[in-house]
Amino acid sequence: GGIITQTPKFLIGQEGQKLTLKCQQNFNHDTMYWYRQDSGKGLRLIYYSITENDLQKGDLSEGYDASREKKSSFSLTVTSAQKNEMAVFLCASSGTGGADTQYFGPGTRLLVL
Amino acid sequence: AQSVDQPDAHVTLSEGASLELRCSYSYSAAPYLFWYVQYPGQSLQFLLKYITGDTVVKGTKGFEAEFRKSNSSFNLKKSPAHWSDSAKYFCALEGRLSGSFNKLTFGAGTRLAVCP
């Protein structure tokens, strides 16, 4: 087994601020993901990475940057927070084979004032 | 393009009843299909997945799902339902085509309430 940790659990920011979310996994998985979950909607993929220093854009990458400095960690940066934005950001990891199960972290809840 | 539709935003039923949550998908080939559950205040937990072979797959917590190619569906079932099954359920698709591996497309989810 393994675990995914996300920091911080809650993030309150100001409009226009650059905000960074961090994710660590000890599954020894190659692939890591960042998803955004808005109330009443499904998850939308922001970025994913199939190995250290690799980055792949998802469907919602505009307004975000990501960084995979090492296999176990994956960071997401909101480049300019939007006023009244409220969402949960979920990190996940998996192997690289087809149909490998993705395991999710507890999430970071973002509120922009 | 690939998409997942969960047509029921909310489902309410009584404890002991049978539950079936609907999921349909659109994809040009046979997909990999997943169900995840999200309990209030928690993250997503994996329930089950369909890869190939037997069209009825069994997962954790007593859930099962049936893959039906004929109508592009992957409905989640459990009988009987328990109040502790109250949660939000997400259906997801992963494409088998090159470039699609590992990328999940999620439905909007179905919020299930099981009343004691």
Side-chain angles (χ1 to χ4, degrees):
Chain A
I3 191 168
I4 296 178
T5 56
Q6 291 186 238
T7 55
K9 289 185 178 180
F10 299 96
L11 185 55
I12 299 176
Q14 302 291 330
E15 183 181 14
Q17 193 175 3
K18 181 183 286 188
L19 303 168
T20 298
L21 293 67
K22 294 185 182 295
C23 175
Q24 297 265 352
Q25 55 97 0
N26 64 0
F27 286 97
N28 199 34
H29 283 155
D30 288 310
T31 307
M32 296 186 73
Y33 314 79
W34 277 106
Y35 290 93
R36 176 181 167 124
Q37 183 178 22
D38 292 279
S39 180
K41 297 183 180 179
L43 278 68
R44 291 179 287 174
L45 183 64
I46 305 172
Y47 268 99
Y48 68 106
S49 167
I50 61 174
T51 190
E52 185 178 328
N53 293 319
D54 174 74
L55 289 176
Q56 308 283 339
K57 291 184 177 182
D59 298 326
L60 202 65
S61 61
E62 188 171 339
Y64 302 93
D65 286 330
S67 176
R68 183 93 182 270
E69 304 92 350
K70 52 184 181 179
K71 186 175 183 178
S72 62
S73 67
F74 194 29
S75 299
L76 180 73
T77 298
V78 180
T79 56
S80 180
Q82 301 299 303
K83 188 174 176 63
N84 297 323
E85 183 175 6
M86 189 165 63
V88 177
F89 292 86
L90 294 172
C91 176
S93 71
S94 76
T96 51
D100 272 3
T101 299
Q102 292 187 23
Y103 295 91
F104 286 81
T108 293
R109 284 158 175 75
L110 170 68
L111 175 62
V112 181
L113 302 176
Chain B
Q2 58 195 56
S3 65
V4 175
D5 182 42
Q6 294 181 251
D8 304 309
H10 300 273
V11 170
T12 301
L13 45 82
S14 298
E15 195 170 33
S18 297
L19 77 84
E20 181 168 359
L21 304 183
R22 296 187 290 165
C23 172
S24 63
Y25 68 89
S26 175
Y27 187 62
S28 56
Y32 302 123
L33 293 161
F34 299 77
W35 276 99
Y36 283 84
V37 60
Q38 186 175 35
Y39 297 101
Q42 298 185 25
S43 192
L44 272 71
Q45 297 178 29
F46 169 74
L47 279 179
L48 51 80
K49 63 184 174 184
Y50 170 77
I51 300 175
T52 189
D54 194 346
T55 57
V56 177
V57 292
K58 296 187 184 300
T60 61
K61 307 179 190 292
F63 286 93
E64 66 177 37
E66 183 175 8
F67 171 64
R68 290 193 174 181
K69 186 178 179 181
S70 59
N71 63 357
S72 300
S73 69
F74 188 55
N75 293 353
L76 183 70
K77 303 176 186 180
K78 182 178 180 181
S79 183
H82 189 265
W83 65 267
S84 61
D85 295 325
S86 298
K88 192 163 187 177
Y89 293 81
F90 292 94
C91 182
L93 175 155
E94 177 185 333
R96 294 177 187 249
L97 300 175
S98 176
S100 299
F101 275 175
N102 306 124
K103 292 174 63 176
L104 288 180
T105 298
F106 283 85
T110 296
R111 188 168 298 280
L112 173 68
V114 181
C115 303

